[in-house]
Each structure stands twice: as C-alpha cells, then as structure tokens.
Amino acid sequence: MNCNKPEALKKDWAVLFVFLAAFSIRFLYIFQILKFPLTEYLVSSGVFDQHEFNQSALNIMSGNLPGKEVFGKEPLYSYFLAAIYTIFGYSHLTVYIIQSLLTSIGAAFVYKISKDIFNRKTGVIVGFIFSFYSMSIYYDAILLRESLITFFNILLLYLILKGLKGNKITAWLLAGCALGCSMLLRHSILLPFILVFVLCAEKPFKKASKHALVFCIGMLIVLLPVLARNYLISDYKYIGISKEVNAFWVGNNPASSGVDVDWSGEYKRLNNKSGGSIRKTAYVFFEEVCKNPGVYAKLYIRKIWMFFNAYEAPSNTNYYLYRDEFPTVLRWPLFSYRFVCGLGIIGIFLAFSKKEKPFLLFIFFAALAGSVILFHIQSRFRLPCTPFFIIFASFALYQVFRSIMDKHFLKCAAILAVAVFFYIILKPDLTYAGFRNPKDKIRPMDRTNLALAYIETYKKQKDINLLNLALTQARLALKEEASYYLEHSIEGEIYFLENRLLDSVNEYKKAIIYDNRNPFLYNELAGVYYAKGDYQQSFLYIKRALYLYPGNKIFEKNLSLIPL
C-alpha cells in the first residue's frame, strides 16, 4: 500500500498529462490534415495500401467475411476498419481519431513501463518525447496499420511487466492476446525471445513454465481462427496468417537497396522460386547468401546504417511532402528520429551498465529492430520499434539531468558530446550509404500523386488555384525525372481542364515519346483532339489505343462518339 498520497497523486497526474498532451496534438493535426487532398486521394486511388485496407474493410461490411483465398495481408487492420465503419459509419476521420486515441493510451503505457523499469522521471521524459514524436503524429492520420501495431507492441510489454511483477495469470493471458493481435497486423519474431526470457528469468521454473503456457494460450486464442480459416480455404495446404511473406524479397534480392521497394527481375526470380512458403523462403535466402556473400554483406551493412540513419524513407506516403507542402503541426519543432537515435544508442549502453539490467526492454528493441532490418528500411516499418528506443533515449537524458544535479559535470559533458556526435553523423543519407546518387527527400512520384490529388479536388470544387498547385508539383517532379511520361500527361490534363488545348496536345505527345505503348495516353490525346473539333486526329489516336488494348469498353464508346 502506498501511504505517500502526494506522490501517488503526482503519478496519476503524470499519466493524465501524457495522455492529454499526446491526444491534443494529434487531434489538432487530424483537423489540419483533412484540408490536404492527398490523404483521401491515396485511399481512393487503387494502387496504394490505404486503398487495399479500405476496400477490404468495405468487403467485410458487405458480408464477404471468409473470402475465397488465403489472406494476402495480415487481416486484423481491415477488420479494425470494418468495425469502426459499422459502429460509427463510413468515416476516415473517425479512424484517425481512434488511432490517435490508442496511440495516446500507448503513450501513457510507455510512461508506466519506463517508470517500472527505470524511474518516474525517466517515465515523464519518455511520455513527453513520445507525445510529441513527429512520425507517430504523422502516421496516426493515415489509413495504415503502423499506429495500431505500435499500440499492441507497447501493450504487450506493459502486460508482461505486470505479469512478472504481480504474478497475475490474467496479465499473461492478455499479453498473449496482445502478441496475437500484433501478429495479425504484421508478422513478428518476438514470440521465441519472450518465451526464452520468461523461462530463464522467472523462478522457480514451474512458475515460469505456467506463465509461458498461459501466454501461448492467449496468443493461440487470437491466432487459431485465422490459421484454421486459411488452412481450410487452401484445401489443407497452407498454415499461416497471410502470404505477405512474398514482400521479403523486395528488400533481400541482390539488386535491392534494402530501403526502396524493388520489383526487379531478381525479385520475381526469387519470389517464384520460394513460392510464398516461409520454409522455402528461408532456404532460398540461405542459398542466395552462400552464392553472393559479398553482395549480401554490403546489403545488410547498408540496411543497418539506414535503420539508425535519420532519413525517414517513404513508401507510398512521404512525411517530408506532408511537412513541406501543407501547414500543420509537423512544421513545429517536434522530436525526430535523429534526436532519438543518438540518445537511444547512449541509453542502451547506460542501461546495460546498470546492476539490474532491463533485459526485456533489450529484447523488445532488438527483436523489433532486427525484423525491420531483415525486411527493408522504411519509416512506417521502423515506427513500431521506436517507442522502445525512446525509452533508452529518455534514460540517457535522465542521466544528463541527474549528472547536473549531482555536479558530475564530466559525465554530463561526455554524454552530451557523444549525443552531438551521433546527431551530426546520422543526418539523412539520401545516397543509401553510397548505393545511389543523392536525390531529393521528396520523390517525383510523391509530387505527381499530390498533383493528381489537386486535379481530382478541382473537379469537385472548381477552384482554379488547385490546378495551379497541381502544375507546380508536376513541374517540380519534371526537374527530378525529366524523361518520364506521367509528369507530361498530368500537365496535359491540367491544360485540357484550363481549355488550353494546343498546350495539352503538346504535353500528351511528349508523354507518348516516353511511353509509346500506353493506350491510355492515346485515349486521352484523342479526347483533346475531339474537344478541338479535329475528329480525324481523334479517330486515329483512339484506334491506336484500341490496337494496344483491344476490347476496352471505354475506348470503344469514345470511338463511337466521333462523328466521321
């Protein structure tokens, strides 16, 4: 029993402050970003993960629960979205608010975890940094599973600590359920490491075995329905959560940077060879490493470097685009990975020097970081392990403050000097450790996506300023990628909407120079000639489109409209 009531109140107020701070800034960001057209465009466009998750949720709502194939991606996020849509109606705003709410609860749990492992002051620092961590705020307002994975990983560690501290069977059961949920969001390698820790750290062994068993039962309660469903649907051939193991090769083929997604011929060769099986994938990977040890050594050195590097490598969304192109809280001086990383590395060494070493925290960080490095390094995959890195970073900051209070200025200066050194060398590396020539943080594809989002919004709102913004983004993309068709086709569409038909023709012809086998470009150019009244040219180009894509109903309808 804690008889120190003022201290108990302080702890409660700290948890509340952390939660409110985290939720307030995320709530503000959500309502700022709703005005930015790219977020909703990425959901409506058929080529991004946001669209796939959203469409899967709508299919679930329509009653297509079991499906006809093994899950292509881990299914929980789609069911999470479907549950929100069913209860609150179809609203992405509600999803973003709930994701922010869960992350804010996670921030409170991170405070409690840090207080239990280190001390209350470290917990307060952790809660403050995580509440205002830029990448966490950014991903909470995107229709992706990163914030939910992060929440369940934090909850998992919190429940394990509760189980260890209070010898509570319920905590172990719930911890297993939390791991099961995390695995239904993305494959995880945490299970064997947690079991080894529990069996080695807890005494006597009988009690440890009991807790490990209850933990596994909790996990299986969550996983078994999905495993059984996939096994039955695959005609008793596949036991697994999803087939997303195929994504392994995008960051592990000899041609891969280890950062960007690589769909090259090497990816296709290895993907076909492994056949979507985890066992075959492991065998083929070992075989490839033995064939090309030097290539894979460089690849993994590069991936380790980029994991600790400050660059927030984008996938289908780009943090830098959101920050630079639209005024939100992301422009505030928030905490970044660059700030966290140097202090986190120092904190790991300082924590290891403690008499009572936080082995479980080491395990969580190492396993989660290792799983990112094993696949490929992108900001969205790195986020779920960042809270545990922030705990180490906060412990390093606590040591700085404590050294100042104890007048150990030499120790304080040493920690700060090393932190500054790391901060300098970990600046964003846009060459991927020399793998490529330096490029801009914002890719041409990010700018073309934004241009297309502005165009789609213009069609609804008829605000000519949106076309000017779209044209700006297309031209910026052209500076980085001069010999690609998409930027020219976007300019062609913008000029068409502005009724600058001759300029539109010229841009579409430039686009065709760079992609002369694209039937849609010919169809669009035919539409411009039709608007000009040049029906002969319109006829020639639509016939070319049909030659490249015979039987296309839209092309055939357009052809029938030409008065020849």
Side-chain angles (χ1 to χ4, degrees):
M1 180 177 178
N2 187 354
C3 297
N4 190 346
K5 292 184 180 180
E7 180 66 17
L9 287 173
K10 280 183 183 178
K11 294 176 183 178
D12 292 339
W13 279 113
V15 171
L16 182 62
F17 168 77
V18 167
F19 171 80
L20 291 176
F23 187 67
S24 297
I25 192 167
R26 284 161 176 78
F27 193 74
L28 173 61
Y29 175 68
I30 288 168
F31 281 91
Q32 290 176 328
I33 211 64
L34 286 177
K35 301 173 185 176
F36 193 43
L38 183 61
T39 302
E40 287 305 301
Y41 172 77
L42 294 175
V43 177
S44 61
S45 177
V47 296
F48 300 104
D49 287 348
Q50 292 95 316
H51 173 81
E52 185 176 344
F53 287 126
N54 186 64
Q55 195 58 49
S56 295
L58 294 176
N59 291 339
I60 292 166
M61 289 177 65
S62 68
N64 184 21
L65 292 177
K68 298 178 181 179
E69 296 180 350
V70 172
F71 288 121
K73 290 183 182 295
E74 294 86 346
L76 184 57
Y77 190 66
S78 295
Y79 280 86
F80 169 76
L81 295 179
I84 293 173
Y85 296 160
T86 301
I87 296 168
F88 300 101
Y90 182 68
S91 169
H92 299 146
L93 169 63
T94 307
V95 175
Y96 303 148
I97 291 174
I98 291 174
Q99 288 183 167
S100 297
L101 183 64
L102 290 174
T103 297
S104 302
I105 294 170
F109 281 143
V110 167
Y111 160 78
K112 298 281 283 183
I113 289 166
S114 305
K115 182 172 70 68
D116 288 346
I117 292 177
F118 294 114
N119 53 62
R120 182 177 178 274
K121 291 178 181 177
T122 300
V124 170
I125 297 170
V126 170
F128 183 71
I129 293 176
F130 187 57
S131 294
F132 297 98
Y133 183 60
S134 58
M135 298 308 297
S136 175
I137 295 168
Y138 168 65
Y139 278 109
D140 278 343
I142 294 179
L143 214 69
L144 290 172
R145 52 191 166 173
E146 271 54 47
S147 62
L148 201 58
I149 297 171
T150 305
F151 169 75
F152 277 113
N153 287 343
I154 293 170
L155 179 62
L156 171 61
L157 178 55
Y158 174 76
L159 289 169
I160 291 175
L161 289 173
K162 293 287 284 185
L164 289 169
K165 188 176 180 180
N167 193 25
K168 296 177 180 177
I169 293 297
T170 306
W172 286 106
L173 185 69
L174 292 175
C177 292
L179 178 59
C181 289
S182 179
M183 293 172 72
L184 288 181
L185 289 162
R186 181 176 292 142
H187 284 89
S188 173
I189 61 173
L190 274 170
L191 176 61
F193 298 101
I194 292 173
L195 291 178
V196 169
F197 171 80
V198 172
L199 293 173
C200 293
E202 277 209 296
K203 306 294 181 186
F205 184 76
K206 184 178 180 180
K207 183 177 78 171
S209 301
K210 179 182 177 182
H211 289 167
L213 178 61
V214 172
F215 178 76
C216 290
I217 290 171
M219 181 190 67
L220 289 173
I221 289 171
V222 175
L223 293 183
L224 276 178
V226 175
L227 296 174
R229 177 255 184 211
N230 285 341
Y231 185 60
L232 292 172
I233 281 181
S234 66
D235 197 22
Y236 312 106
K237 294 177 182 176
Y238 187 85
I239 302 177
I241 296 169
S242 75
K243 286 188 174 180
E244 203 172 20
V245 66
N246 296 347
F248 176 79
W249 294 114
V250 301
N252 284 286
N253 71 75
S256 172
S257 67
V259 181
D260 294 330
V261 174
D262 179 83
W263 304 110
S264 65
E266 283 293 292
Y267 162 80
K268 293 173 183 176
R269 176 181 69 84
L270 294 171
N271 187 47
N272 291 336
K273 192 173 181 180
S274 57
S277 162
I278 294 176
R279 185 181 299 175
K280 284 185 180 178
T281 297
Y283 175 78
V284 172
F285 179 62
F286 179 76
E287 187 178 60
E288 288 295 313
V289 171
C290 292
K291 284 183 185 176
N292 306 290
V295 171
Y296 276 94
K298 289 179 182 178
L299 173 61
Y300 271 82
I301 290 170
R302 184 162 61 245
K303 289 205 280 187
I304 291 168
W305 165 248
M306 292 306 297
F307 175 84
F308 290 102
N309 189 258
Y311 181 50
E312 298 292 354
S315 53
N316 52 28
T317 56
N318 190 316
Y319 162 76
Y320 302 107
L321 182 75
Y322 273 74
R323 185 192 65 186
D324 296 353
E325 294 297 333
F326 202 74
T328 67
V329 299
L330 294 182
R331 293 186 179 180
W332 294 7
L334 301 170
F335 293 105
S336 65
Y337 190 79
R338 187 178 183 183
F339 174 84
V340 167
C341 189
L343 286 167
I345 294 170
I346 297 168
I348 288 171
F349 283 99
L350 290 173
F352 199 76
S353 66
K354 280 171 57 70
K355 186 176 181 180
E356 293 184 9
K357 297 174 176 54
F359 287 115
L360 189 59
L361 185 59
F362 288 136
I363 287 169
F364 264 71
F365 175 73
L368 293 171
S371 66
V372 177
I373 294 167
L374 187 62
F375 281 78
H376 58 290
I377 315 300
Q378 293 188 338
S379 65
R380 60 188 282 199
F381 303 135
R382 191 166 64 180
L383 177 65
C385 73
T386 306
F388 310 104
F389 212 9
I390 291 174
I391 294 175
F392 286 117
S394 300
F395 182 63
L397 282 174
Y398 165 75
Q399 291 294 328
V400 170
F401 297 141
R402 183 180 174 183
S403 298
I404 293 171
M405 296 299 295
D406 294 343
K407 297 183 180 181
H408 295 159
F409 299 118
L410 185 60
K411 180 180 178 181
C412 174
I415 293 173
L416 291 176
V418 175
V420 169
F421 169 76
F422 278 126
Y423 189 84
I424 292 170
I425 67 166
L426 294 175
K427 67 180 182 179
D429 181 0
L430 300 173
T431 71
Y432 302 167
F435 180 81
R436 65 175 195 177
N437 293 325
K439 297 182 180 180
D440 195 86
K441 290 179 181 177
I442 301 175
R443 304 165 299 179
M445 68 169 284
D446 300 315
R447 296 202 180 277
T448 54
N449 287 335
L450 181 53
L452 291 168
Y454 280 130
I455 291 171
E456 289 303 309
T457 308
Y458 165 80
K459 291 176 181 178
K460 299 172 185 175
Q461 299 179 3
K462 302 303 179 184
D463 181 356
I464 195 68
N465 185 54
L466 292 168
L467 291 183
N468 294 331
L469 292 170
L471 187 60
T472 298
Q473 293 300 318
R475 288 176 175 172
L476 287 170
L478 267 173
K479 288 182 179 179
E480 285 281 316
E481 198 172 49
S483 58
Y484 191 54
Y485 81 92
L486 184 57
E487 290 85 347
H488 292 291
S489 70
I490 289 172
E491 287 199 35
E493 184 175 4
I494 293 168
Y495 293 143
F496 177 78
L497 292 169
E498 292 178 337
N499 204 33
R500 294 166 57 183
L501 299 182
L502 183 59
D503 290 332
S504 180
V505 166
N506 291 335
E507 289 301 324
Y508 276 119
K509 285 185 174 179
K510 289 177 184 176
I512 288 171
I513 290 172
Y514 297 116
D515 189 359
N516 61 9
R517 304 291 297 175
N518 187 330
F520 298 98
L521 293 177
Y522 291 99
N523 177 65
E524 289 161 11
L525 182 53
V528 180
Y529 275 118
Y530 181 87
K532 285 185 68 181
D534 190 341
Y535 301 128
Q536 186 175 2
Q537 288 294 318
S538 181
F539 176 81
L540 290 173
Y541 279 105
I542 199 67
K543 288 290 286 184
R544 178 64 176 171
L546 277 166
Y547 172 77
L548 295 169
Y549 194 161
N552 184 283
K553 299 300 181 185
I554 295 174
F555 299 171
E556 289 175 350
K557 182 180 178 181
N558 290 343
L559 180 63
S560 70
L561 296 173
I562 300 173
L564 286 179

